[in-house]
Amino acid sequence: MSPAAEGPLLLGVRHHGPGSARAVRAALDAARPRAVLIEGPPEGDALLPLAAEPGMRPPVALLAHVADDPGRAAFWPLAGFSPEWVAIRWAQARDVPVRFIDLPAAQTLAVRDPAAWSGQEPDAGGDIERTGDVRLDPLGALAGAAGYDDPERWWEDVVEHRDGGSGGDPLAAFEALAEAMGVLREAYGDGGHPRDLVREAHMRQRMRAARREFGDDYAVVCGAWHVPALAARTTATADKALLTGLPKVKVETTWVPWTHRRLARAGGYGAGITSPGWYAHLFAARDRPVERWLTKVAGLLREEDFQVSSAHVIEAVRLAGTLAAVRGRPLPGLTETLEAVRAVMCDGSDVPLALVEDRLVVGDVLGEVPDAAPVVPLQRDLTRSLRSLRLKAEARQRELELDLRKDTDAAKSLLLHRLRLLGIDWGVPIASRSSTGTFRETWRLCWEPELSVRVAEAGIWGTTVLGAATAKAEADAAGAGELGEVTALAERCLLAGLSQALPAVLRALADRAALATDVAGLAKALPALARSLRYGDVRGTDAAALGTVAAGLAERICVALPPACGAGLDAEGAAEMRGHVDGVHGAVALLADAEEAGGLRERWSAVLRGLAGREGAPGLIRGRAARLLLDDGRLAAGETARLMGLALSPASAPADAAGWIEGFAGGSAGGGTLLVHDDRLLGLIDAWLVSVPEGAFIDVLPLLRRTFGAYEPGVKRTLGELVRRGPGGRAGAAAPGGAPAGFAPEPDPVRADAAAALVRLLLSAPAADTAPEPAPEPVGASASGGEVRCGWGRVGNEREGTGT
């Protein structure tokens, strides 16, 4: 049955197409049906009046989820240029009844096993159908029959570049499309897909109900693929048999904001399109769409500091029109327009063109729904919080800088951390470019429509963000299987300000810490606890209870670590243990000031001394321990040279010696700078390298390349020059006492004081006359003239946010 035949008006559409939307509006204006039926879940009927509310702005989506399992959900997206949305608004503007007729979401979501639908997940009526085991793209098939290799370009030529139909008949396009889909279904079968057959049976049943109420004076807006099946003459008994026995679940539905980006096929949406932003422009532009589009492109490029003038726009319009004429197209399409943009406005570069494609062809438009839309209580609380903090959910990715010394910024930080604990990753913390202080946070924000489902899922934990996050943290603490999970949870609780959840987390932490025997697990857990104490100090959170647990863990690590670094470690195990040593070292630096950790610094230094001189320990561990001691000023230059000499002696295996070098001078430890300024250490390494036998050298070469390849290019050039000159070949005379050129045997107080003012200014430290609080023991330069690193102490006054 065609749309023009006797019976209901069947309007087969592409789910998101401005040409289909305009044609639907023209057909409805011409037919003036008494009711409009739309492909969609009937549970959404009660929500249709909200589409006319002032606060509703597409793109939006109907969200249906299982009441007791919000993670089982499905979306039915609608854009401003979707034919279904146009039909809804047409009916509401004329007080015409409008209803959804697709298979209820209660039945669609009841099927847990996708195999029940022959492997197809719910796709909200996508344009891509399945025929047996072969996926059929109707648009692709029709485009291929017409000689097009691009379905999007074919659709633009035959639909998007037409205005309401052929020869003034608004139904002609629907008749042609229905006939084409009938031929396809005859050639490939009716789909053979159980889910499609059931959906179409339910739609026919709803059409029968509409016929009893309105006669044949109603219109049906659905995917074009379904038109032949809805026009077919079947019995109600046969359709009822297909629907009998389908499982059901209780579902809840609402409207949620959607985005153009999520309408794109690249986002995984089965009925998606390649250019939602372009389609939105075509639907909104009443005339001269190419000229208006290129004007938008010019404005975007100017905002990004590209030199684009009005002359560029004029020339691009001409070029796009010429390309369309050469290719025999009725009007320039997206392909011609983008080619003109690349050639004229982007100077042939794909870099600015990629910006145009991202911002305008796809776009970041985020829809809005009215406050009257039903939501879970947690969503209402989240909405109130966002308004009070002046935060706005946006689809476009942006960065948010927070200064935790400000009350409003601190509240924003707490909210974002609580949402992350609930699995709602609207914001992701990233490294701050402006400061390394603990008072500073940087977040990358991007609201995705799927987060609405996460909010619904999190609603089982409470009605407010704070209450839900607290309950979730307590449950996670009770169910954690490893010590590291609990320590990470404690850190997240402090970041989120969940003081009520801390007692339960600390109980779980104490229980698992008492049973933990693996030193690697203890070493992984300690850094998170140390950071938690630091965050508590900066954020004003009471984290004192963590200090006792952290100090206890550190004590156990000091006892258990040396035996764990025995000769039984292979290369992979030694590398892992080195990472643990680094982590514990940094944690001890943060814990050293705590009252509960008195004397911890000395005990840890003793452990490092034992590791540095421990026979049988892997060279990687011994070298790393020696370097940490040297940086902290607890290992003299002469002793360092002695340990290196022992490690690089002929009695040591070349692989073990190379491991010692990597532990001492590799990674981000600043080993290259140290070797540049210490002739003795560089000479020891150079002499050992020359003495390595040829066969052994081949074995250790990859390790050495990894060690020295990580150095800065300037450091590598300087080291190469020093080695080329040979021993004593450093430019300039050696200083008295044998120190490297430019360095005295002892620091010069006068010269040091001259540089101190500049260093204090760079670090924003309080001036000398402000009488700052006594700082922890300072970490100075190594006696060998190496770099100054902040190890145990803190530079400046951290409580004022001036350092790290």
Side-chain angles (χ1 to χ4, degrees), residues 121-397:
E121 294 277 12
D123 63 355
D127 284 318
I128 298 179
E129 307 293 340
R130 180 182 291 274
T131 305
D133 292 329
V134 179
R135 290 190 71 85
L136 172 65
D137 179 2
L139 296 187
L142 294 176
Y148 284 75
D149 56 1
D150 183 359
E152 294 292 332
R153 189 173 53 151
W154 173 81
W155 182 261
E156 281 192 348
D157 285 353
V158 301
V159 177
E160 304 305 334
H161 293 162
R162 301 169 67 93
D163 189 10
S166 175
D169 183 0
L171 302 181
F174 294 108
E175 292 177 357
L177 196 56
E179 182 180 357
M181 291 300 170
V183 173
L184 284 178
R185 293 188 73 134
E186 288 178 4
Y188 294 97
D190 284 336
H193 195 296
R195 178 173 176 266
D196 287 334
L197 298 178
V198 171
R199 289 176 58 202
E200 291 163 352
H202 187 272
M203 285 191 271
R204 287 192 294 265
Q205 290 284 60
R206 294 298 296 266
M207 290 171 63
R208 292 186 181 100
R211 183 177 295 113
R212 289 191 295 269
E213 186 175 355
F214 306 105
D216 284 337
D217 191 11
Y218 65 90
V220 178
V221 180
C222 64
W225 177 262
H226 301 297
V227 169
L230 299 186
R233 297 187 179 275
T234 61
T235 64
T237 302
D239 288 340
K240 186 177 180 180
L242 286 174
L243 298 170
T244 301
L246 289 178
K248 290 185 178 181
V249 292
K250 184 179 179 181
V251 299
E252 296 177 355
T253 57
T254 186
W255 289 107
V256 296
W258 204 251
T259 68
H260 277 174
R261 193 171 300 280
R262 295 299 295 159
L263 282 172
R265 184 176 296 129
Y269 175 38
I273 53 181
T274 58
S275 52
W278 166 254
Y279 274 6
H281 170 78
L282 290 181
F283 185 70
R286 297 184 177 182
D287 61 348
R288 306 176 70 87
V290 174
E291 290 85 342
R292 296 179 186 276
W293 172 262
L294 291 173
T295 302
K296 287 184 179 180
V297 172
L300 172 64
L301 294 177
R302 287 170 186 160
E303 291 177 359
E304 300 297 328
D305 294 330
F306 289 94
Q307 300 297 321
V308 179
S309 66
S310 300
H312 288 89
V313 176
I314 296 172
E315 183 60 28
V317 170
R318 292 173 177 171
L319 179 57
T322 302
L323 289 173
V326 169
R327 295 168 180 174
R329 306 193 66 182
L331 288 173
L334 180 61
T335 302
E336 289 76 25
T337 306
L338 288 181
E339 289 181 5
V341 169
R342 177 193 287 112
V344 178
M345 298 184 182
C346 301
D347 295 328
S349 172
D350 287 334
V351 175
L353 184 67
L355 178 68
V356 173
E357 292 175 337
D358 181 69
R359 298 277 185 87
L360 295 180
V361 176
V362 177
D364 289 312
V365 176
L366 176 66
E368 296 179 1
V369 298
D371 295 337
V375 294
V376 296
L378 180 63
Q379 178 67 64
R380 293 194 188 96
D381 182 69
L382 175 58
T383 302
R384 286 194 296 267
S385 299
L386 295 181
R387 287 177 179 172
S388 64
L389 296 175
R390 296 183 180 179
L391 282 174
K392 184 178 181 181
E394 296 177 333
R396 183 176 177 180
Q397 192 177 95

Side-chain angles (χ1 to χ4, degrees), residues 519-520 523-524 527 561 564-565 569-586 604 608 611 618-628 631 658-671 703 706-708 710-711 789:
V519 67
K524 281 194 261 186
L561 185 61
C565 297
L569 283 177
D570 57 10
E572 183 177 351
E576 181 180 0
M577 192 59 68
R578 172 199 170 174
H580 294 325
V581 170
D582 284 342
V584 173
H585 185 75
W604 176 244
L608 291 178
L611 290 175
L620 184 67
I621 303 297
R622 290 185 282 118
R624 188 60 182 156
R627 179 58 194 274
L628 293 176
D631 285 345
W660 196 98
I661 293 175
E662 182 185 17
F664 183 84
S668 58
L703 187 61
R706 183 173 64 192
T707 301
F708 296 106
Y711 292 168
R789 305 184 70 234

Side-chain angles (χ1 to χ4, degrees), residues 787-800:
E787 63 176 349
V788 180
R789 305 184 70 234
C790 182
W792 306 110
R794 295 175 296 180
V795 180
N797 188 346
E798 186 176 5
R799 290 181 297 178
E800 293 297 326

Side-chain angles (χ1 to χ4, degrees), residues 395-413:
R396 183 176 177 180
Q397 192 177 95
R398 65 187 181 94
E399 291 187 5
L400 177 66
E401 290 277 355
L402 298 179
D403 185 342
L404 302 182
R405 298 169 296 184
K406 301 178 181 178
D407 293 341
T408 301
D409 284 6
K412 292 177 181 179
S413 173

